[in-house]
Amino acid sequence: RWWRAAGGTKLTENSENSSSIGKLIFTMDIYCFNLVLNATDKFQEHKEHSSLAQAVALLGEMMHLLFIMFSSKETTEQVMALGLMERLFYNSEPLDRLPKLLSRWTPGTSTREYMCDLAEICYTTLKLLETNAKACQNVAVDKHDTVAKIKISAAQFDVSAYFARRIVSNQTVVAYTHLLSQYDVNAAVVNHRIMAFFRRLCNHK
C-alpha cells in the first residue's frame, strides 16, 4: 500500500534487476491467495469482524498487485498473473470470494473502511477481468499451450454476466448505498468506485 501511495517507484528505484515491483511480486502465488481467501471464510464463520477486515484489506492490496503483474512488460510476470487469474476466476471451481464477501456485508457489524476495501476489490477485479478479456481476443487455439488455453478462457469469460449474476444483489446495492450516504467524508477515490458501480449497474442490459 505504501508503494502504491508513493507512486509505485520507491521499492524499485535502487534495484538494478527489478521489474515493475521488484521481489515483492514473487510473494504472489496461489498459496498466498488461498491463505487469505480461506482466512476470510474462517473469520466470517466465527464473526471475527476485526480480523476479517484485515484479511480483506490485504486481499485488496493483492488484487492491486495482480493487476500490476498483469500490466507488466515482463513476460514472466504476465504469465504468473494469468495463472493466478485462471485459478481465481476462469477455473471450473473458481477461488474468488468477492461475491460472498459482498453478499454477507451487514450494516452495524463492519466499519466504513471495510466496505471501502470491498468496493476497491470489486472495482479492481472488474477492471482486470475486462482488460484481460479484451487483450485475449483472437488468440490462436493451441491445445498444447497452457497459456493460450488460459487466454481463450479469459476471452470467453462473460464479465457482464459475472457482474449481474454474482456481484449484484439487494445486499450489495444496500452496501454501496450505505457507503454513498457518507459521500462527504469518503475519499474522492472511494466515491469514484461507488459511482463506477452504480454506473455499471444502470448501463447493464
Side-chain angles (χ1 to χ4, degrees):
R1 182 175 289 182
W2 170 80
W3 177 82
R4 287 195 300 106
T9 58
K10 297 299 184 182
L11 287 182
T12 59
E13 60 185 7
N14 296 320
S15 175
E16 294 181 359
N17 300 316
S18 63
S19 57
S20 61
I21 43 179
K23 295 180 180 180
L24 179 61
I25 206 165
F26 293 103
T27 66
M28 290 282 285
D29 57 31
I30 199 60
Y31 301 106
C32 288
F33 268 99
N34 263 324
L35 181 67
V36 176
L37 295 172
N38 289 335
T40 63
D41 291 338
K42 174 186 174 183
F43 296 143
Q44 277 190 324
E45 179 182 354
H46 296 286
K47 302 185 186 303
E48 298 179 32
H49 302 297
S50 177
S51 296
L52 176 62
Q54 291 180 358
V56 167
L58 175 55
L59 179 59
E61 295 307 316
M62 293 173 73
M63 291 306 298
H64 274 292
L65 200 52
L66 180 57
F67 193 92
I68 293 167
M69 287 170 64
F70 167 78
S71 306
S72 172
K73 295 180 180 180
E74 296 288 334
T75 303
T76 301
E77 294 181 10
Q78 293 174 4
V79 172
M80 287 173 64
L82 283 172
L84 287 169
M85 292 173 67
E86 196 273 335
R87 294 295 303 278
L88 289 169
F89 305 107
Y90 308 137
N91 198 283
S92 57
E93 296 182 0
L95 300 177
D96 179 29
R97 297 293 201 284
L98 177 58
K100 181 179 179 180
L101 289 168
L102 285 169
S103 66
R104 293 192 176 185
W105 175 88
T106 306
T109 61
S110 303
T111 63
R112 182 175 66 88
E113 288 73 18
Y114 174 76
M115 186 56 213
C116 288
D117 286 330
L118 284 181
E120 188 66 28
I121 294 172
C122 185
Y123 179 87
T124 305
T125 296
L126 292 170
K127 182 180 178 182
L128 178 62
L129 290 171
E130 285 183 332
T131 304
N132 194 34
K134 292 177 181 177
C136 293
Q137 295 293 332
N138 303 318
V139 173
V141 178
D142 185 348
K143 295 182 179 180
H144 302 291
D145 186 338
T146 302
V147 174
K149 288 193 288 186
I150 295 175
K151 288 183 177 181
I152 292 170
S153 297
Q156 295 173 343
F157 188 85
D158 191 336
V159 181
S160 294
Y162 170 79
F163 175 73
R165 297 174 185 172
R166 305 210 59 206
I167 298 298
V168 176
S169 67
N170 290 340
Q171 193 70 2
T172 303
V173 172
V174 169
Y176 271 88
T177 303
H178 183 79
L179 192 58
L180 181 61
S181 70
Q182 302 177 66
Y183 185 92
D184 289 341
V185 296
N186 290 337
V189 66
V190 173
N191 288 327
H192 176 267
R193 302 314 188 226
I194 299 169
M195 298 312 299
F197 173 84
F198 283 117
R199 189 179 300 115
R200 183 184 291 271
L201 183 61
C202 292
N203 291 335
H204 180 77
K205 296 181 181 179

